[in-house]
Amino acid sequence: MTEIRLKKGEPVKLLLTSDDVTHGFFLKPLKIDEVIEPGKTTAVKLTPQVAGTFTTICDHFCGANHGNMKMTIVVVE
């Protein structure tokens, strides 16, 4: 599983792409709910306001490995 480390209160922009199918990038505690379409870049701007370890999920069925589409975001003080 991939991990991204962010600092609480620091603005960031994540650039997400997909080569094959549409994916969802969802993480309620950080108010992320984006659709990543094949061949396009999706920019996700956020400023984490809470520290912790969070697991993002793909919330669009994307194929056989859909259940394994997760990533950890760690927000530190």
Side-chain angles (χ1 to χ4, degrees), residues 20-58:
D20 51 5
V21 296
T22 299
H23 295 280
F25 187 65
F26 180 78
L27 182 57
K28 188 174 183 175
L30 297 182
K31 301 176 183 167
I32 300 170
D33 188 6
E34 296 291 335
V35 175
I36 300 119
E37 296 181 24
K40 296 182 180 179
T41 299
T42 300
V44 178
K45 296 178 183 179
L46 70 141
T47 303
Q49 298 300 320
V50 60
T53 300
F54 309 95
T55 301
T56 65
I57 62 167
C58 177

Side-chain angles (χ1 to χ4, degrees), residues 9-22:
E10 183 174 297
V12 296
K13 179 167 65 171
L14 306 175
L15 300 176
L16 307 170
T17 61
S18 171
D19 292 330
D20 51 5
V21 296
T22 299

Side-chain angles (χ1 to χ4, degrees), residues 1 58 64-71:
M1 185 165 19
C58 177
N65 286 318
H66 172 70
N68 296 323
M69 298 284 303
K70 298 177 182 173
M71 179 176 60

